Amino acid sequence: MPQQFHRAIVVGGSSGIGRELVTQLAASGCQVASLARRDQPQGENIRTYAHDVTDFAAIPALFQQICLDLGGLDLLVYASGVMPPVRPDEFSFDKDKQMVDVNVLGAVAWCNEAAQRFGQAGSGTIVGIGSVAGDRGRAPKPVYGATKAFFECYLESLRNRIGSKGVAVVTIKPGPTDTPMAADHVGAKFPVAEAARQILSAARAGKRVAYIPWTMALAFFIIRRLPSPLMQRLKF
Ligand SMILES: NC(=O)c1ccc[n+]([C@@H]2O[C@H](COP(=O)([O-])OP(=O)(O)OC[C@H]3O[C@@H](n4cnc5c(N)ncnc54)[C@H](OP(=O)(O)O)[C@@H]3O)[C@@H](O)[C@H]2O)c1
C-alpha cells in the first residue's frame, strides 16, 4: 500500500523540483518544512526556514528543531543542487568546490540526520534527487556528474544499512527537467510539475531507484553500456 506522508522536510524548496515538491506535499495535507536561502512557497501546511546547506555545523540542531516544530518526521527530501556553467576548456576549483559542498556535503549532512532518526524509529523515507548525469563520466560537466554518482552510491549504502529496519531510501534520477537550473539546456525538458508528481509516487511506493521520466531508464540502460572510446568521441 502506498505510504502517506504526514510530516516532511524538503531541503532546496525555493525553486524548481524542490519548490514543486513542497507545493504538492502541502496540497496533499502533509506538514512541510521548506529550506533554502531564497524565498520559498507560502501557504497552508508550509513552514519555511532560511538555510544555506554549506553551513554544515548548523544542520544537526536545525534538523532536531524542525522535527520538534513539525511534531515528528516521516519524509526527508534533499533537492538542493547547483550546476554552474563550465566552459569546455575550464577547470575551476571554485565552481567544483561549490558543487561538492552543496550536492555532496550538504546532502550527506542532512541525510545522515534523517538516517539516524529513521533507523532508530524503524520507519521513514529518505529521497535524494540525483541525476542521470551520475551514470557516466561525460565531458561537459566532470564534477557535476561526479557529485551525482557520489550521491547515488551514498544513498545505496544508506539503503543497505537501514533498509532492513523499515526505512525506504529512494534515489531519483531526473533527466532534463524544466527548471531554472536547466534554462540553458537545448532540447526537450520534462515538465517540473509532472516530475514532482512522479517523484512523490516513487517515494510513496518506496522504490529504490526511479528515473524521471521512466523513458530515461531505457536511454541510460544503453548509455551506461557504451564503450569508453565511444563516450570519448561523442563528448556529450
Ligand atoms: N533541472 C534538471 O534538468 C535536473 C536534472 C537532473 C537532476 N536535477 C537535480 O534536481 C535538483 C533540483 O534542481 P532544480 O532543477 O530544481 O534546480 P533549481 O531550480 O536551480 O533549484 C535548486 C535548489 O537548490 C537550492 N540550493 C542551491 N544552493 C543551496 C545552498 N547553498 N543552500 C541551500 N539550498 C541551496 C536552491 O535554493 P536557494 O538558491 O534559494 O538556496 C534551490 O531551491 C538538483 O539536485 C539538481 O541537480 C535537475
Side-chain angles (χ1 to χ4, degrees), residues 180-205:
M181 180 183 280
D184 295 341
H185 179 81
V186 285
K189 287 183 266 192
F190 198 56
V192 66
E194 180 56 18
R197 199 191 62 73
Q198 293 189 14
I199 289 166
L200 290 179
S201 169
R204 290 186 178 113

Side-chain angles (χ1 to χ4, degrees), residues 11-19 35-40 51-54 78-83 98 102-103 129-133 144 148 173-182 189 192:
V11 186
S14 61
S15 174
I17 293 172
R19 188 179 184 98
L35 287 77
R37 295 166 303 176
R38 290 173 289 166
D39 288 347
Q40 298 160 71
H51 172 62
D52 184 332
V53 298
T54 65
Y78 191 86
S80 285
V82 287
M83 187 183 72
Q98 189 195 352
V102 175
N103 304 0
I129 312 295
S131 173
V132 295
Y144 179 75
K148 295 301 182 176
K173 301 178 69 159
T177 308
D178 196 5
T179 72
M181 180 183 280
K189 287 183 266 192
V192 66

